Amino acid sequence: MPPRTPPTRFAYLGPEGTFAEAALRSAVASSEGARYPHPSVAAALAAVRSGDADAALVPLENSVEGSVPATMDGLADGEPLVVTREVFLDVAFVLAVRPGTALGDVRSVVSHPHALAQTAGRLADLVPDVVPLPLSSTAVAAAAVAAGEYDAAVCAPIAAERYGLVPLVEDLADTPGAVTRFVLVEPAGALPAPTGNDKTSLVAVVEDRTGALLDVLREFAVRGISLSRIESRPTRDRLWVYSFSLDCEGHVAERRVGEALAALHRVCEDVRFLGSYARADGRENRPVQPGADDAAFTEADAWLAAIRGTA
Ligand SMILES: O=C(O)C(=O)Cc1ccccc1
């Protein structure tokens, strides 16, 4: 495999001050490339697809709220992209206002839907008469409050500072300790080398028939591959036809994972490979079961070749 050219132009869900920017900063040093804010997840992914950026850092899921649909769907559809890295970030929210605003003055609250969902209980207590409004990111919300369009934003402390706001309430999350999983996405073909502790992501579209999901799961189970996430998403273009978005342990370069993907390719309507990348959630993959490691596959190949007289 030729060595990959590391990305140097990074798109992210902007503007400055988003959690996505913080995740990108934590993963990629300034000396390794330039960061370009984009107004939406779709725009950041489009920048990679058009070649304007080499990679995009976007939120994928949150430990409290679940997946970010814009990212799930943006990866499942359109020109293929792959995840080359996952980045975990602790998120802490503040209720940010222009200096001088008191809680009693707050008539509107804005933020990213995930931030609003994770602070819904506290907001209901603090500003019961306000119906929070979703915007494309926490930092765009902070900028809109600074511009006087709304009274308060749910955002990162750093975003409040960046837009000249003050934190009226700190530690706003209903569930403390929430973690968001971001992914670095590159054009299809980028494949980091296996590290021995990797994950593989994919989307499988199955026919509407009895046992279709079981057929998908079986291909992993018989090869001793553990799944770390599975969820269904509507295909959108076909009514009541679903795709399954999943992460499994292992790297596509490993035989058991490669063979599971090849088997899915045979039995599913469609399979989209979404990348193999180093596991970064602080956990270790389960030990590979006896008979499921690469050496066992190679030995079995030799055995079969001998039977067929092709050795
Ligand atoms: O809007 C942001 O700052 C993002 O990066 C998306 C997001 C929103 C809420 C929690 C985690 C990530």
Side-chain angles (χ1 to χ4, degrees):
M1 215 182 287
R4 13 184 244 121
T5 322
T8 55
R9 297 170 304 156
F10 296 91
Y12 67 91
L13 170 64
E16 274 178 41
T18 56
F19 290 108
E21 188 197 9
L24 180 56
R25 282 177 183 273
S26 79
V28 180
S30 307
S31 57
E32 290 176 65
R35 294 184 280 265
Y36 300 98
H38 286 266
S40 63
V41 166
L45 297 180
V48 180
R49 289 189 168 112
S50 70
D52 285 348
D54 303 323
L57 202 287
V58 289
L60 185 72
E61 59 171 330
N62 184 275
S63 60
V64 176
E65 260 308 290
S67 61
V68 177
T71 305
M72 290 290 170
D73 296 341
L75 294 178
D77 297 331
E79 208 46 40
L81 298 168
V82 287
V83 173
T84 54
R85 234 177 129 165
E86 63 176 1
V87 181
F88 290 85
L89 186 80
D90 297 339
V91 289
F93 302 106
V94 297
L95 187 66
V97 295
R98 290 180 299 279
T101 306
L103 204 50
D105 304 327
V106 174
R107 303 266 174 275
S108 53
V109 176
V110 280
S111 194
H112 185 276
H114 264 225
L116 294 177
Q118 287 176 62
T119 55
R122 293 293 308 287
L123 289 176
D125 288 344
L126 291 163
V127 282
D129 298 331
V130 173
V131 178
L133 293 173
L135 293 184
S136 56
S137 76
T138 54
V140 92
V145 171
E149 294 167 34
Y150 305 98
D151 298 326
V154 178
C155 61
I158 187 127
E161 206 179 296
R162 164 75 181 72
Y163 295 98
L165 305 179
V166 290
L168 195 56
V169 184
E170 287 176 288
D171 294 326
L172 197 64
D174 295 334
T175 313
V179 175
T180 298
R181 179 184 177 212
F182 294 83
V183 286
L184 189 69
V185 173
E186 296 185 47
L191 186 64
T195 67
N197 194 39
D198 303 289
K199 272 192 217 168
T200 293
S201 297
L202 56 104
V203 175
V205 181
V206 295
E207 263 176 63
D208 178 13
R209 64 172 169 79
T210 307
L213 174 58
L214 186 60
D215 288 347
V216 171
L217 298 180
R218 186 185 300 115
E219 300 301 344
F220 293 99
V222 296
R223 294 174 178 87
I225 302 168
S226 184
L227 301 186
S228 51
R229 181 184 61 84
I230 178 160
E231 58 194 289
S232 65
R233 300 278 315 150
T235 47
R236 293 183 294 175
D237 52 345
R238 282 175 296 165
L239 199 60
W240 313 127
V241 175
Y242 291 88
S243 65
F244 292 96
S245 169
L246 57 90
D247 299 337
C248 69
E249 294 186 349
H251 192 289
V252 70
E254 291 172 274
R255 289 289 302 270
R256 66 187 185 292
V257 178
E259 303 238 348
L261 264 60
L264 291 180
H265 178 76
R266 284 190 280 105
V267 302
C268 293
E269 267 196 17
D270 189 28
V271 177
R272 178 175 281 216
F273 172 66
L274 284 184
S276 288
Y277 46 89
R279 183 167 196 167
D281 57 4
R283 293 175 177 217
E284 289 294 317
N285 284 349
R286 283 161 188 75
V288 178
Q289 289 177 8
D293 61 7
D294 281 8
F297 274 96
T298 306
E299 196 277 326
D301 285 346
W303 175 78
L304 195 57
I307 290 172
R308 289 172 171 162
T310 54

